[in-house]
């Protein structure tokens, strides 16, 4: 399943990921400048971020807390002593001439993340480390024909680099892993996970080998900011490597880019040009020494994480794993569902949330937070179905009216007279009329009992869809002498 077929036999893909996640914080890692997205270029740059001579960095304690919280959420070890290093390289968007990062002693050590595969089985992905570092600025080459510009707003923004072990074997694994990391960070509130804005981006290391053989030479695909593209880039890159090896060539270790338009990876820089970063401890920053009690206090703040929520939703509401997975993808989804499900049929509630509601949100360009139908209102609607005031079918009409008018479902049902008719006298009258009007069908249904559904449809139509379908069906069967 996880192997790819080449001309000379099967190959195994080996994948390791480095995820850069922007920490949710008001100010930068080493300065007080704002991190707000979308500001005027160079309007959020302190003297530290611009690397003016003599400026001294000061560690943002909140960013440190966020990194520790993330490490705990990834079931990882927290290192009580961590050290900031300078990673030296020259680039126009890096005014310091080095990035402050952590090399020998990162804040977070080994951990593990569990992904659930489509067949319901689980796969563990090891986390090697998580370190804190500064983001660089941004070079802009397409604003003027003969000039390049630099925007330093992003310079110095706090990043967590999460490095996985080479534990993934398929593009699907990598996609699930990124999605799981993103979900965990969003639950923790340590990164907003907005991939379009670049808050979360991944470098993907791809190599191929014969099953069970030594690791092959890897290529790194840089700066992927869409889960879908990650999947496509891996499949393209693995196939490219297999073809080269099978043609007698060797893989050159290099950094590659994914070209979205062409659907291919292409070389960015080879190992010969690779940087020697000459890391050394930043002399402006002391080692960070944490107290265990400080870490424990952060641990006490961890909210219910996706895996735990998944299990609880299944136990508490009797949901299947598939539905639970849809709900936990976003903490807001699960919160919304739990409000809807209060005191109503939970299976009905999950169908309404993941079906009608999500469909409407998608179609109209809303998110769960901006939904025009609030959880309490949808809960009221599902309650009306649960207690048989209206049928599921009428509820779909009420849902539309709710969207149109913003009125409460109970009010709509009252005003429009949509209450389900459970009064057997009224239903019986309608049933008798349909039977009397269709003697030929009555003959047919006695041969083919499945045709009873046609009578139910007629009666439902005659009652404007308000009759209780089960009551109608029972009455028709009784009147026509059909077995159940
Ligand atoms: Mn990095």
């Amino acid at each position: 399943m996880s192997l790819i077929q080449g001309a000379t036999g099967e190959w195994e893909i080996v994948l390791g990921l480095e995820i850069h996640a922007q920490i949710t914080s008001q100010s930068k890692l080493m300065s007080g400048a704002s991190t707000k997205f979308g500001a005027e270029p160079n309007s959020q740059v302190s003297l530290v971020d611009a690397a003016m001579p003599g400026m001294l960095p000061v560690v943002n304690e909140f960013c440190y807390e966020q990194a520790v919280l993330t490490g705990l959420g990834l079931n990882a070890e927290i290192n009580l002593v961590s050290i900031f290093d300078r990673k030296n390289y020259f680039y126009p968007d890096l005014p310091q001439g080095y990035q402050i990062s952590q090399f020998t002693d990162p804040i977070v050590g080994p951990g593990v993340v569990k992904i659930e595969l489509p067949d319901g089985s689980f796969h563990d992905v090891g986390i090697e480390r998580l370190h804190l570092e500064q983001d660089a600025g941004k070079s802009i080459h397409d604003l003027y024909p003969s000039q390049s510009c630099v925007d330093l707003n992003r310079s110095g923004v706090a990043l967590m680099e999460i490095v996985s072990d080479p534990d993934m074997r398929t593009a699907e694994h990598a996609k699930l892993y990124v999605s799981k990391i993103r979900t965990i960070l969003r639950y923790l509130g340590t990164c907003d996970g907005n991939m379009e804005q670049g808050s979360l981006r991944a470098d993907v290391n791809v190599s191929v080998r014969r099953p069970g053989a030594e690791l092959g030479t890897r290529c790194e695909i840089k700066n992927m900011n869409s889960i879908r593209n990650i999947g496509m880039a891996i499949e393209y890159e693995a196939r490219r490597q297999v073809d080269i090896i099978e043609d007698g060539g060797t893989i050159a270790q290099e950094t590659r880019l994914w070209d979205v338009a062409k659907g291919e990876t292409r070389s960015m820089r080879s190992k010969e040009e690779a940087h020697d970063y000459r890391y050394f401890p930043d002399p402006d920053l002391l080692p960070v020494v944490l107290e265990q009690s400080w870490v424990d206090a952060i641990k006490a703040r961890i909210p219910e994480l996706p895996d735990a929520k998944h299990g609880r939703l299944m136990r508490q509401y009797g949901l299947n794993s598939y539905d639970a997975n849809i709900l936990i993808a976003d903490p807001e989804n699960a919160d919304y569902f739990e409000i809807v499900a209060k005191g109503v049929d939970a299976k009905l509630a999950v169908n309404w949330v993941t079906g009608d509601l999500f469909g409407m949100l998608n179609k109209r360009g809303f998110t769960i937070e901006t939904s025009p139908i609030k959880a309490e209102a949808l809960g009221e609607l599902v309650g009306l179905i649960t207690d048989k005031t209206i049928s599921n079918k009428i509820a779909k009409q009420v849902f539309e009216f709710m969207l149109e008018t913003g009125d409460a479902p109970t009010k709509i049902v009252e005003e429009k007279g949509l209450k389900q008719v459970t009064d057997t006298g009224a239903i019986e009258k309608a049933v008798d009329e349909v039977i009397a009007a269709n003697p030929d069908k009555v003959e047919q249904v006695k041969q083919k009992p499945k045709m009873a559904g046609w009578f139910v449809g007629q009666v439902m139509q005659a009652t404007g869809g308000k009759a209780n379908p089960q009551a109608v069906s029972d009455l028709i069967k009784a009147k026509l002498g059909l077995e159940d």
Side-chain angles (χ1 to χ4, degrees):
M1 177 203 83
S2 62
L3 299 176
I4 53 174
Q5 189 64 46
T8 60
E10 291 178 320
W11 296 86
E12 183 178 45
I13 311 178
V14 178
L15 304 164
L17 267 68
E18 291 159 28
I19 291 178
H20 283 93
Q22 183 181 323
I23 291 181
T24 300
S25 65
Q26 303 282 332
S27 54
K28 297 182 181 180
L29 181 59
M30 299 286 170
S31 84
S34 168
T35 58
K36 206 164 183 305
F37 182 82
E40 278 290 298
N42 296 311
S43 63
Q44 297 174 168
V45 186
S46 75
L47 295 173
V48 174
D49 309 320
M52 290 297 151
M55 291 300 114
L56 287 174
V58 177
V59 179
N60 180 337
E61 183 179 340
F62 180 71
C63 291
Y64 234 83
E65 263 181 67
Q66 293 283 63
V68 169
L69 186 58
T70 305
L72 294 169
L74 299 175
N75 305 302
E77 283 169 35
I78 304 302
N79 295 323
L80 294 180
V81 178
S82 49
I83 295 171
F84 282 108
D85 295 277
R86 290 185 179 180
K87 179 180 179 179
N88 300 279
Y89 65 97
F90 172 79
Y91 208 74
D93 62 19
L94 188 77
Q96 286 170 158
Y98 56 86
Q99 176 191 34
I100 301 179
S101 182
Q102 295 178 323
F103 187 52
T104 52
D105 296 83
I107 173 65
V108 177
V112 66
V113 166
K114 216 175 249 313
I115 54 175
E116 187 179 351
L117 306 180
D119 68 3
S121 65
F122 291 91
H123 182 85
D124 283 349
V125 179
I127 301 290
E128 183 195 309
R129 58 189 275 149
L130 176 158
H131 61 257
L132 274 165
E133 61 185 28
Q134 297 176 302
D135 205 346
K138 195 168 79 180
S139 297
I140 303 160
H141 303 295
D142 56 4
L143 199 57
Y144 302 109
S146 59
Q147 293 169 44
S148 284
C149 302
V150 176
D151 175 7
L152 293 181
N153 280 354
R154 220 174 54 190
S155 167
V157 165
L159 299 178
M160 298 180 281
E161 180 173 332
I162 303 166
V163 182
S164 85
D165 291 324
D167 285 346
M168 289 157 274
R169 294 291 176 269
T170 67
E172 185 74 19
H173 286 173
K175 286 161 73 178
L176 290 167
Y177 169 76
V178 175
S179 156
K180 187 63 177 282
I181 293 277
R182 179 174 179 274
T183 305
I184 293 172
L185 301 188
R186 284 171 55 78
Y187 271 67
L188 292 167
T190 56
C191 169
D192 65 24
N194 190 326
M195 298 185 77
E196 273 163 38
Q197 291 180 2
S199 302
L200 195 141
R201 44 197 200 261
D203 303 337
V204 186
N205 288 289
V206 184
S207 64
V208 297
R209 65 176 177 188
R210 294 293 187 192
E214 301 262 300
L215 288 176
T217 304
R218 66 191 158 86
C219 290
E220 182 182 27
I221 314 169
K222 272 278 183 209
N223 262 327
M224 306 287 301
N225 66 349
S226 127
I227 290 178
R228 196 168 148 263
N229 284 334
I230 287 172
M232 293 196 292
I234 290 170
E235 283 178 1
Y236 175 90
E237 178 60 19
R239 177 57 62 184
R240 185 188 73 88
Q241 293 183 13
V242 166
D243 289 348
I244 289 174
I245 301 169
E246 291 194 326
D247 283 348
T250 49
I251 303 301
Q253 184 173 341
E254 61 182 359
T255 302
R256 300 180 68 84
L257 279 181
W258 172 244
D259 186 324
V260 181
K262 291 192 179 136
E264 60 185 38
T265 62
R266 64 180 148 79
S267 185
M268 186 180 162
R269 56 173 183 253
S270 70
K271 206 194 172 195
E272 291 83 272
E273 304 159 40
H275 303 284
D276 173 2
Y277 294 116
R278 291 174 294 118
Y279 281 97
F280 64 87
D282 192 310
D284 289 338
L285 292 159
L286 290 168
V288 178
V289 181
L290 304 179
E291 310 233 342
Q292 186 58 47
S293 59
W294 190 77
V295 174
D296 292 341
I298 294 173
K299 197 170 197 165
R301 279 184 10 219
I302 293 186
E304 183 183 38
L305 291 176
D307 288 344
K309 199 182 280 286
H310 182 267
R312 184 176 62 78
L313 290 176
M314 287 177 69
R315 278 192 314 276
Q316 188 175 337
Y317 298 97
L319 302 184
N320 58 38
S321 178
Y322 178 84
D323 286 338
N325 270 327
I326 295 177
L327 294 176
I328 62 158
D330 211 310
E332 277 83 17
N333 290 353
D335 290 349
Y336 189 103
F337 163 77
E338 293 204 76
I339 295 171
V340 174
K342 246 180 222 143
V344 306
D345 183 282
K347 183 66 197 163
L348 206 53
V350 77
N351 286 346
W352 271 88
V353 172
T354 62
D356 300 82
L357 180 83
F358 284 3
M360 179 277 290
L361 296 178
N362 252 338
K363 208 166 99 191
R364 304 194 176 206
F366 289 111
T367 66
I368 195 102
E369 289 102 328
T370 60
S371 172
I373 293 186
K374 299 295 164 214
E376 291 77 8
L378 187 59
E380 190 179 317
L381 180 67
V382 178
L384 292 174
I385 311 169
T386 306
D387 68 15
K388 299 199 166 46
T389 305
I390 55 175
S391 67
N392 202 52
K393 201 168 159 199
I394 291 287
K396 292 189 192 270
Q397 289 178 32
V398 176
F399 187 76
E400 293 300 321
F401 286 129
M402 287 164 73
L403 273 174
E404 237 170 68
T405 63
D407 284 344
T410 313
K411 183 172 175 231
I412 293 169
V413 169
E414 282 297 333
E415 283 181 0
K416 306 228 175 241
L418 293 171
K419 255 194 190 143
Q420 184 158 251
V421 180
T422 41
D423 166 12
T424 31
I427 298 174
E428 196 169 354
K429 186 164 165 280
V431 169
D432 287 341
E433 281 168 10
V434 170
I435 289 176
N438 297 284
D440 52 329
K441 300 275 190 208
V442 172
E443 279 314 306
Q444 288 173 25
V445 78
K446 286 182 176 159
Q447 310 302 320
K448 267 171 77 185
K450 277 199 173 145
M451 265 192 58
W454 181 85
F455 284 90
V456 177
Q458 293 297 304
V459 175
M460 291 305 289
Q461 210 174 356
T463 56
K466 288 182 287 179
N468 179 322
Q470 192 55 48
V472 174
S473 174
D474 291 348
L475 261 173
I476 285 171
K477 282 177 183 158
K479 296 247 175 203
L480 296 175
L482 301 173
E483 293 286 313
D484 225 344

